[in-house]
Amino acid sequence: MPRIVVRVKVFGQRRDRRLFLPARARVLDLLERLGYNPQVVVVRRNGKVVVEEEGLASGDVIEIIPVVTGG
Amino acid sequence: MLKCSLCGRRAVYDRRYAGVLLCDRCLAKSVESRFRRAISEHKLLSPGERVAVAISGGKDSIVCLHLLADYCRWRNCKLVAITVDEGIKGYRDRSLPIARENAELLGVEHFVVSFRDAFGATLDRIVQLARRRRTGLNPCTYCGVMRRSLLNQAARELGADKLATAHNLDDEVQAIMLNYVRADLSRLHRLGPIYSPREGFVPRIKPLREIPEKEIALYALLRGLKVHLDTCPYAGGIHIEIRDFLNKLEANHPNTKFMILRMFDRLKPELTRCTPRFEVKMCELCGEPTSTNICKACELLKQLGLSKRRKRLIC
Ligand SMILES: [Zn+2]
Ligand SMILES: [Zn+2]
């Protein structure tokens, strides 16, 4: 199985990490892997806001911004 | 690249409950038109009225402030902003400057009223006292009651006809569920786009009530608004469980939140009919309007050995 590697940053967390995913993974798969409900985050792919069905490519920089702050 | 269902530009949002993908422009337009529709449909504001908006610096209230500023310019209303500084170290002290900055940017007069000035204690202190005295009440109870009381008083002192708060679809549906779970009929029937209790209370309006939280966040982000995105350190308990439960339902069954809201709105006239109207009295301790002899805020303060220190909030 070919795989891709993306860099993931979560807003408000200092460290980013590299994540290996299946070749045809979408943003949604990445969120699922990390345990985020798409309802509560906005995702930027290489600086642009994307929908969760958008596919990923090796080398992408993904930012996850939790937007449900409650208060 | 996925495209906007309406105009074909690059999509930024999957509005699953409506089965459409939206680009930044179409999403912004939709948020703005829902805001205006809520105001006209529920007659939240009339031309020339004086509106006070509660702003914390968080995304919802900052979006509400910007949308109201546009609206008030158009409809000739007078807008002022109020921030309640509860005194939450590391949280409110960071969002308050953002609230001030946005108000300044829009040329909206901004007033800050604080727990410390009004009650002689910050929320941090109140929480400490409550733990020591084992009152069994959680921070959100104190914060909610006291903030509501100060907001109403400040809005009244400022001569506001309406008090706008930034409750979004998620907030409203969570409140519906919470009051169901707690079987609190009197709180339940107060929910809705507008609540005008009685004399002494400034009618409260919620123009963002039909906009999902994520759409408001996206709107703030795409418009480049400066907002505070941290979580309140006291957030917890059943509120969070209900929020997560509703988000899970919505993810698996899109449109759930709107269905809960619509059902509630249909039931509301019946709820109002079976909830007794209360007589407005003046709190014996602070003079604020209340349905009992002593208002809820004073009752909570009294338990902690505190009392309201200031008669007037806005000098
Ligand atoms: Zn579009
Ligand atoms: Zn009182």
Side-chain angles (χ1 to χ4, degrees):
Chain A
M1 257 303 257
R3 292 203 299 175
I4 57 168
V5 57
V6 298
R7 187 187 295 277
V8 182
K9 301 180 187 180
V10 178
F11 180 85
Q13 290 180 12
R14 220 173 267 165
R15 278 157 43 110
D16 53 353
R17 56 178 141 178
R18 275 154 33 107
L19 206 66
F20 290 90
L21 293 159
R24 311 195 61 172
R26 302 158 304 162
V27 172
L28 196 60
D29 302 311
L30 181 147
L31 291 178
E32 208 164 273
R33 167 87 74 88
L34 297 176
Y36 286 104
N37 184 330
Q39 293 281 315
V40 305
V41 295
V42 168
V43 178
R44 275 199 290 227
R45 173 179 175 228
N46 303 324
K48 285 180 175 163
V49 176
V50 290
V51 294
E52 294 82 25
E53 290 77 13
E54 199 81 58
L56 296 168
S58 239
D60 279 351
V61 177
I62 303 298
E63 291 166 272
I64 297 177
I65 310 165
V67 293
V68 170
T69 46
Chain B
M1 179 185 93
L2 293 162
K3 290 181 177 169
C4 175
S5 315
L6 304 180
C7 76
R9 293 174 74 244
R10 197 177 67 80
V12 298
Y13 176 58
D14 181 6
R15 185 179 265 173
R16 293 184 62 212
Y17 62 82
V20 291
L21 295 174
L22 297 175
C23 69
D24 51 352
R25 271 187 221 158
C26 292
L27 174 71
K29 250 195 252 168
S30 164
V31 165
E32 287 161 5
S33 83
R34 273 190 197 176
F35 169 86
R36 284 193 302 266
R37 196 182 61 206
I39 294 178
S40 62
E41 200 176 299
H42 304 290
K43 301 186 177 61
L44 303 185
L45 292 172
S46 310
E49 276 190 321
R50 198 174 161 83
V51 195
V53 57
I55 57 169
S56 64
K59 62 183 190 313
D60 303 298
S61 65
I62 293 306
V63 165
C64 193
L65 171 72
H66 281 260
L67 292 173
L68 273 172
D70 288 344
Y71 183 89
C72 289
R73 228 172 288 126
W74 174 48
R75 303 295 276 178
N76 232 339
C77 292
K78 165 86 178 125
L79 183 64
V80 293
I82 304 170
T83 300
V84 175
D85 178 3
E86 304 92 345
I88 304 172
K89 206 162 180 282
Y91 178 65
R92 188 57 74 227
D93 45 357
R94 290 189 194 152
S95 76
L96 208 143
I98 295 173
R100 186 182 298 126
E101 213 176 293
N102 278 282
E104 258 169 38
L105 180 76
L106 292 164
V108 172
E109 215 180 340
H110 181 219
F111 299 87
V112 179
V113 293
S114 74
F115 276 22
R116 186 197 287 269
D117 287 343
F119 311 127
T122 60
L123 183 67
D124 289 339
R125 175 75 183 140
I126 287 169
V127 170
Q128 210 178 43
L129 288 171
R131 281 189 189 137
R132 205 173 293 161
R133 298 195 177 209
R134 299 176 200 277
T135 62
L137 298 173
N138 62 30
C140 299
T141 303
Y142 291 100
C143 188
V145 168
M146 292 171 183
R147 190 178 39 193
R148 244 191 319 276
S149 166
L150 290 190
L151 275 175
N152 181 64
Q153 189 183 345
R156 199 186 60 230
E157 288 180 6
L158 288 165
D161 299 300
K162 301 283 164 58
L163 170 61
T165 58
H167 293 91
N168 57 44
L169 174 72
D170 295 60
D171 296 327
E172 190 78 346
V173 174
Q174 285 162 29
I176 293 169
M177 292 302 286
L178 184 67
N179 288 315
Y180 251 100
V181 170
R182 289 185 170 161
D184 192 337
L185 192 58
S186 73
R187 284 245 165 80
L188 185 67
H189 103 280
R190 284 184 225 162
L191 298 171
I194 180 162
Y195 179 58
S196 338
R198 304 290 287 280
E199 57 275 24
F201 292 98
V202 180
R204 291 198 299 266
I205 60 170
K206 296 174 187 162
L208 302 183
R209 185 173 180 262
E210 300 203 15
I211 308 175
E213 182 160 18
K214 181 163 174 175
E215 296 184 19
I216 292 169
L218 272 167
Y219 183 83
L221 197 71
L222 296 168
R223 259 191 75 170
L225 303 181
K226 194 161 177 196
V227 301
H228 183 246
L229 274 180
D230 287 357
T231 307
C232 177
Y234 294 122
I238 192 167
H239 292 89
I240 301 292
E241 288 174 52
I242 287 178
R243 182 191 78 192
D244 293 347
F245 164 69
L246 287 166
N247 280 328
K248 201 169 166 189
L249 274 180
E250 183 71 31
N252 296 335
H253 312 278
N255 208 31
T256 295
K257 291 174 190 171
F258 274 110
M259 298 294 264
I260 294 174
L261 189 83
R262 301 272 177 257
M263 186 65 183
F264 171 76
D265 287 352
R266 276 168 60 192
L267 289 172
K268 197 181 154 176
E270 310 300 321
L271 293 178
T272 306
R273 233 183 12 190
C274 63
T275 314
R277 272 169 76 81
F278 63 86
E279 191 193 332
V280 181
K281 300 177 187 165
M282 285 208 331
C283 170
E284 287 170 6
L285 296 175
C286 74
E288 283 300 296
T290 168
S291 58
T292 44
N293 292 332
I294 292 173
C295 77
K296 190 82 188 153
C298 284
E299 189 192 308
L300 292 177
L301 287 165
K302 214 172 143 212
Q303 275 179 4
L304 302 174
L306 299 167
S307 66
K308 191 145 165 214
R309 288 194 173 173
R310 279 173 64 167
K311 270 250 130 112
R312 249 192 104 75
L313 297 174
I314 312 269
C315 306

